[in-house]
Amino acid sequence: IASNLKAQPTLVVVPTTMLGVWLDESKKHVPDLKVIKFHGPRRTKNMDDLRAVDIVVTTYRVVVNETHRHVPTIGSIRWGRIILDEAHELRAIQSATTRAVCRLYAPLRWCVSATPWPKGMTSVLSMLSFLNVSPFDEAVNFGSCSAAHLLLRHQQQDNPHLISNLLSSLTWWQRKRHVH
């Protein structure tokens, strides 16, 4: 984030348990960046407050709640980038969480997780959809009859390496290192 600042803010979406971690780590590692927490009953109602910072940290639940409202809130902002931490939280393509994060706009989208790709290929659909990988990006709108589901069914029967190769091209993997 710090080495490639965007004109628009970065939205970081995390589980509630990670909210404090992101806020503390940003203070420690990027103290010059303006960071705001968008969470809790006293969160700002003024979206210009969010547009004026470098990083907005919020939770999956807030994104779901805010994107379902008819009042323009975080869904009305053109984000420079969106980062989903613990992205394996997107378990089902038709879940409220997956639909909510896919409604947000950003030209750059990252899925971050310490959990490897799930074993069940259908759970990978939500992340591919969020990343706007075609035809998976259509799955949120068209459900289980989508081209993505047909492609998954086909690859599992006839070409088991298709999705594996796709994920390899989209994934950066690093071994956990012990720091002494």
Side-chain angles (χ1 to χ4, degrees):
I1 297 170
S3 65
N4 188 10
L5 282 177
K6 301 294 173 199
Q8 300 89 8
T10 293
L11 177 67
V12 180
V13 184
V14 302
T16 306
T17 57
M18 295 299 294
L19 198 58
V21 173
W22 270 87
L23 295 170
D24 292 344
E25 292 296 313
S26 61
K27 283 179 196 168
K28 184 169 36 171
H29 295 289
V30 287
D32 295 338
L33 295 184
K34 290 180 247 154
V35 181
I36 189 171
K37 175 177 79 168
F38 187 69
H39 185 263
R42 288 188 246 155
R43 64 182 174 262
T44 185
K45 303 290 186 236
N46 183 352
M47 294 303 104
D48 288 336
D49 292 345
L50 303 184
R51 290 182 184 96
V53 300
D54 299 304
I55 301 172
V56 175
V57 184
T58 192
T59 64
Y60 286 100
R61 180 60 28 218
V62 168
V63 171
V64 169
N65 292 340
E66 292 288 319
T67 58
H68 281 192
R69 295 182 180 173
H70 296 292
V71 178
T73 60
I74 61 172
S76 67
I77 295 176
R78 295 179 65 86
W79 302 100
R81 118 183 10 94
I82 299 172
I83 301 172
L84 302 183
D85 190 12
E86 303 296 340
H88 59 275
E89 295 281 326
L90 303 181
R91 291 196 175 97
I93 194 70
Q94 293 298 316
S95 72
T97 303
T98 301
R99 286 175 179 253
V101 297
C102 288
R103 282 187 197 110
L104 301 173
Y105 172 81
L108 299 173
R109 294 167 172 242
W110 301 356
C111 290
V112 179
S113 180
T115 303
W117 287 104
K119 289 182 183 178
M121 292 311 296
T122 53
S123 58
V124 173
L125 277 177
S126 356
M127 286 182 258
L128 294 174
S129 181
F130 170 74
L131 294 171
N132 289 329
V133 175
S134 184
F136 305 99
D137 54 345
E138 299 169 7
V140 168
N141 297 321
F142 300 111
S144 61
C145 295
S146 70
H149 278 83
L150 296 173
L151 180 62
L152 277 178
R153 198 172 317 134
H154 170 75
Q155 74 85 28
Q156 288 169 338
Q157 295 167 355
D158 302 326
N159 187 358
H161 301 291
L162 178 69
I163 298 297
S164 177
N165 291 341
L166 175 64
L167 295 178
S168 295
S169 69
L170 294 171
T171 304
W172 179 69
W173 180 80
Q174 181 178 356
R175 269 187 206 272
K176 190 174 186 176
R177 294 185 211 143
H178 296 288
V179 179
H180 299 285

